[in-house]
Amino acid sequence: MLLLSIAVGAMTGCFIAFVRLKLGMPGHKTFLWLTPVLVARLRGGCKIGTAAGGLAAAVSTYSLGANLAGGLIGMPLIVMAGLMLDGVINTLQKHKIAGPGMIGALTIAGALAGLICLAKRHILPAGLSPHHILGLSGIWFEIASYTFFGALAGVVASILSIKKKIKQ
């Protein structure tokens, strides 16, 4: 299951390296890498799957000349966001929390992971290019946008990972 998480992360990194969406929204890459990595973690069950998948996404993106983690210095923050999410998921699974409880917890945890990615953006000089959309910019816009995309990743991944019982 660890290899599954790493493979999904690496494929996600390749996608991010070659596809330019030009959304002009800070934090949109958080949604792009975090959602598939979270789904792989939730469906695969590896205890450190989000951290491993996030690291694989960052390494593959960086090795292809693109920017996800802001280079080698920012990669530990991607891993930290993944470890935080793995901790939340491990707790949810230990206490057998699913459905709305899981969706709520992963929405909040995803938002926090988005904020960790925002911190990475401000620590590294390579990540300081400004975003402008609809005349909005500045730190509060960045905080809101990173929080939104992280939370959205948590919601989408948890909904995609809910196992439905099939009637036979």
Side-chain angles (χ1 to χ4, degrees):
M1 291 304 127
L2 177 61
L3 291 177
L4 171 70
S5 294
I6 292 170
V8 168
M11 288 185 291
T12 301
C14 291
F15 174 79
I16 290 170
F18 292 114
V19 175
R20 303 280 188 234
L21 297 179
K22 299 184 191 253
L23 295 179
M25 295 285 296
H28 73 276
K29 285 183 187 175
T30 302
F31 175 75
L32 295 176
W33 75 264
L34 189 53
T35 305
V37 167
L38 267 176
V39 170
R41 165 59 182 93
L42 289 164
R43 297 295 275 181
C46 177
K47 299 270 187 217
I48 59 165
T50 312
L55 179 60
V59 168
S60 63
T61 304
Y62 179 71
S63 66
L64 293 170
N67 185 12
L68 171 65
L72 297 173
I73 298 170
M75 285 184 202
L77 289 172
I78 295 291
V79 174
M80 187 169 76
L83 287 172
M84 183 267 305
L85 285 160
D86 284 329
V88 170
I89 294 167
N90 290 336
T91 301
L92 291 170
Q93 290 175 338
K94 178 181 176 184
H95 296 290
K96 296 183 180 10
I97 298 171
M102 180 180 74
I103 294 170
L106 287 180
T107 300
I108 293 167
L112 292 173
L115 291 174
I116 291 171
C117 292
L118 173 62
K120 170 199 60 75
R121 177 178 169 83
H122 284 275
I123 289 171
L124 302 166
L128 294 176
S129 59
H131 288 89
H132 299 281
I133 187 165
L134 303 174
L136 300 171
S137 65
I139 186 67
W140 293 110
F141 174 62
E142 288 181 348
I143 290 170
S145 189
Y146 271 86
T147 302
F148 169 76
F149 283 115
L152 183 62
V155 168
V156 171
S158 58
I159 289 172
L160 290 175
S161 299
I162 292 175
K163 297 175 184 171
K164 295 182 181 179
K165 293 183 180 178
I166 301 172
K167 294 182 181 179
Q168 295 186 10

